[in-house]
Amino acid sequence: EAGVTQFPSHSVIEKGQTVTLRCDPISGHDNLYWYRRVMGKEIKFLLHFVKESKQDESGMPNNRFLAERTGGTYSTLKVQPAELEDSGVYFCASSQDWGRKGNEQFFGPGTRLTVL
Amino acid sequence: AQTVTQSQPEMSVQEAETVTLSCTYDTSESDYYLFWYKQPPSRQMILVIRQEAYKQQNATENRFSVNFQKAAKSFSLKISDSQLGDAAMYFCAYRSYTGTASKLTFGTGTRLQVTL
């Protein structure tokens, strides 16, 4: 079974440019999460999809970030325009169920974003 | 809001020895999950061990075990008979048990080195 995949693995862009990150969850996983780790700090939650609906987007830093999950399969996270503080590693995770089951979240390898 | 603290940025252990990684958390909830995740260099983050707060018995997974002290809000990870493959970043994480909030709250991580 294929794991969670993310594309690209690295992205280097200039301040003010746009970048789109993609996440393909494990097939059949309704839940998809985005997290971000800024260098040396904790991994922070960004948002949670259940199928194509945003269940929780309380971690999205501002309106320069736009996440979509059309059709409830893969998800994209667009940053427009990118700022220096957006640099970090963006992780995607997926899980099969939610609620009281505490199901394991399977993580992708992350996308390392560098904004110059 | 919940917080997770890992006070050891780096730890080192000799092969075959035992090491304990510390984690404390703060929450007003009585029901929750705690996790330890491992991220080897340039590889995906994987779940090491999970503890449900209502269970008094400490979780164990082969060479990995936890010391869960609910009253003290402490959740340490013990790695016995350390192996070179245990070298990685270790993240402690918290998740609420109830409701629809299934996001993980992470600590800043502990980098574990394993020496010969």
Side-chain angles (χ1 to χ4, degrees):
Chain A
E1 177 185 88
V4 177
T5 57
Q6 293 186 246
F7 182 82
S9 57
H10 293 85
S11 181
V12 180
I13 61 173
E14 299 280 337
K15 175 183 172 181
Q17 289 186 321
T18 297
V19 64
T20 300
L21 313 181
R22 172 170 170 146
C23 168
D24 286 75
I26 293 172
S27 178
H29 282 193
D30 287 340
N31 296 280
L32 187 148
Y33 309 82
W34 284 100
Y35 296 87
R36 175 175 73 174
R37 186 179 188 221
V38 172
M39 183 61 68
K41 297 195 174 181
E42 70 271 28
I43 300 170
K44 282 195 171 181
F45 167 80
L46 297 178
L47 89 159
H48 169 208
F49 284 100
V50 177
K51 296 185 180 179
E52 66 274 11
S53 300
K54 292 176 184 175
Q55 179 68 34
D56 180 0
E57 51 184 329
S58 62
M60 293 289 265
N62 51 61
N63 59 10
R64 294 186 294 103
F65 288 75
L66 175 64
E68 294 181 325
R69 191 182 182 196
T70 307
T73 55
Y74 71 91
S75 174
T76 58
L77 180 64
K78 181 190 288 187
V79 185
Q80 180 182 30
E83 298 289 344
L84 299 178
E85 64 264 25
D86 300 333
S87 295
V89 181
Y90 289 76
F91 293 100
C92 176
S94 71
S95 71
Q96 194 165 9
D97 286 309
W98 56 289
R100 295 182 67 88
K101 296 184 180 180
N103 275 325
E104 178 181 352
Q105 292 184 21
F106 294 85
F107 281 79
T111 293
R112 182 175 296 278
L113 174 64
T114 302
V115 182
L116 301 175
Chain B
Q2 293 80 28
T3 59
V4 176
T5 301
Q6 293 179 251
S7 58
Q8 305 154 317
E10 291 191 8
M11 292 283 286
S12 183
V13 63
Q14 281 193 320
E15 202 177 14
E17 296 296 307
T18 296
V19 65
T20 299
L21 308 184
S22 301
C23 173
T24 58
Y25 58 95
D26 190 26
T27 183
S28 58
E29 299 174 331
S30 58
D31 245 354
Y32 46 86
Y33 294 96
L34 295 165
F35 304 87
W36 278 98
Y37 277 87
K38 167 187 176 181
Q39 186 180 26
S42 303
R43 292 179 60 186
Q44 287 166 253
M45 195 152 51
I46 58 173
L47 179 66
V48 174
I49 198 164
R50 163 183 24 216
Q51 175 79 42
E52 290 149 303
Y54 71 86
K55 289 186 177 178
Q56 293 186 335
Q57 187 172 10
N58 289 326
T60 63
E61 288 288 343
N62 301 313
R63 297 182 296 106
F64 298 87
S65 62
V66 298
N67 183 4
F68 173 49
Q69 301 290 329
K70 190 173 183 179
K73 295 180 182 174
S74 172
F75 183 61
S76 61
L77 174 69
K78 184 171 83 171
I79 306 173
S80 303
D81 185 25
S82 297
Q83 300 175 0
L84 294 177
D86 295 333
M89 279 292 290
Y90 286 81
F91 293 97
C92 179
Y94 172 104
R95 182 197 148 171
S96 294
Y97 193 81
T98 58
T100 59
S102 58
K103 65 184 179 185
L104 294 169
T105 301
F106 287 91
T108 51
T110 296
R111 183 174 301 281
L112 178 66
Q113 292 183 320
V114 181
T115 58
L116 293 172

